[in-house]
Amino acid sequence: MHAYMDILIRTVLSILVLLLIAKMLGKQTISNMTFHDFVTGITLGAIAANLAFNETIKLSYLILSLIVITVTSYLLSVIALKSRKMRNWISGSPTVLIEGGKILEDNMRKVRYTLDSLDQALREKGVFDIEEVDYAVLEDNGVVSVLKKDEYKYVTKKDMKLLPNAQVFPIELIMDGKMMEKNLENNGLTKEWLELELKRKGKKLSDVFYAARGTKQQLVFDFYEDGIHQTIDKE
């Protein structure tokens, strides 16, 4: 029973210590796994596992090891922040894999990155044809960033010289033929205004099954009589 309690206490202690260390080292340790973060994570995991289950090693030795790796990792992070040259050595640096649409075989050999891995990384970015790629960069954390050629980029509103239209949250005015009076009141609308809009369409409130004011202030109506003489019924 004593052995079980000892393992229980050591396991809980190892988890609490790892949480404390992770908070001290910062979010980058878990969000951006560079060489430095990878080595730190593996080492901390191994020491924490021994702390939890290896009773042959003194608890004080394991705690000391955790303190040493934490301090070392923290100091390396500080050095990396202050020196770009050291940062490249500690955390690694981005590697260009494709430049101007051309695959850089020498760079790929340097980082031991295969064409199969490149194809997979591009597919994960939604690129199935390497011809579409202008630049591809292998980042410090192993993720490939992709810049497509101009002719394969998505067109934005800015490209089309379109100004964004003001959008508002849609408001339901009539549901199942029943007027949503609270919605009208909360948005400064009246029954008379709605009746006037319907009159312009040659309809009455009793004709409406569903009505709403959309995100662009447009009115949407669905009437009981849809004017469809023959419906498509899929069974």
Side-chain angles (χ1 to χ4, degrees):
M1 189 67 180
H2 173 72
Y4 289 121
M5 284 299 298
D6 189 45
I7 290 175
L8 176 63
I9 293 170
R10 289 168 70 107
T11 302
V12 172
L13 179 62
S14 68
I15 292 173
L16 293 176
V17 170
L18 278 180
L19 280 173
L20 178 63
I21 292 172
K23 283 186 172 293
M24 289 172 60
L25 294 179
K27 294 181 180 179
Q28 182 168 324
T29 305
I30 58 174
S31 67
N32 189 24
M33 193 64 74
T34 61
F35 292 148
H36 166 225
D37 300 321
F38 176 78
V39 170
T40 300
I42 292 293
T43 308
L44 285 174
I47 296 173
N50 279 289
L51 174 60
F53 301 110
N54 195 340
E55 297 181 3
T56 61
I57 303 176
K58 288 185 178 180
L59 193 63
S60 57
Y61 292 173
L62 293 169
I63 295 294
L64 178 60
S65 295
L66 285 173
I67 292 172
V68 171
I69 187 65
T70 302
V71 172
T72 304
S73 180
Y74 179 78
L75 290 175
L76 286 173
S77 297
V78 172
I79 292 170
L81 283 172
K82 294 182 177 296
S83 170
R84 180 177 177 81
K85 186 176 181 180
M86 289 300 296
R87 180 162 65 248
N88 291 340
W89 185 81
I90 293 169
S91 299
S93 58
T95 302
V96 179
L97 304 178
I98 298 177
E99 183 175 353
K102 306 294 183 182
I103 299 174
L104 305 183
E105 295 87 355
D106 289 341
N107 284 3
M108 291 183 66
R109 275 195 292 268
K110 286 178 183 176
V111 294
R112 291 174 293 282
Y113 204 79
T114 66
L115 273 175
D116 289 333
S117 297
L118 179 60
D119 286 338
Q120 178 184 341
L122 292 178
R123 287 194 296 270
E124 289 173 353
K125 296 290 184 180
V127 178
F128 286 79
D129 188 349
I130 203 167
E131 172 64 22
E132 299 178 13
V133 181
D134 194 12
Y135 281 87
V137 180
L138 181 63
E139 305 291 357
D140 299 346
N141 59 358
V143 175
V144 174
S145 299
V146 177
L147 177 66
K148 289 185 178 182
K149 294 177 180 175
D150 287 340
E151 58 266 35
Y152 295 107
K153 291 179 181 177
Y154 293 115
V155 179
T156 65
K157 286 187 175 183
K158 184 178 181 181
D159 294 328
M160 298 176 67
K161 307 300 181 184
L162 295 177
L163 294 175
N165 296 320
Q167 296 191 17
V168 295
F169 198 80
I171 305 164
E172 291 169 335
L173 306 175
I174 297 176
M175 290 281 290
D176 297 321
K178 296 180 181 178
M179 186 180 296
M180 312 296 288
E181 296 180 4
K182 200 72 176 175
N183 286 358
L184 287 168
E185 181 183 339
N186 289 342
N187 291 276
L189 304 176
T190 63
K191 178 182 177 181
E192 291 73 26
W193 165 80
L194 186 55
E195 288 175 335
L196 181 61
E197 293 294 332
L198 284 167
K199 188 176 180 181
R200 290 175 181 170
K201 293 181 175 290
K203 298 289 185 178
K204 319 187 288 290
L205 283 175
S206 57
D207 298 327
V208 184
F209 174 68
Y210 173 82
R213 190 175 73 176
T215 57
K216 297 180 181 179
Q217 307 280 356
Q218 80 278 19
L219 288 174
V220 179
F221 293 105
D222 184 85
F223 303 106
Y224 284 106
E225 295 292 335
D226 292 315
I228 300 175
H229 301 294
Q230 186 175 357
T231 60
I232 298 173
D233 187 13
K234 294 185 179 181
E235 297 182 355

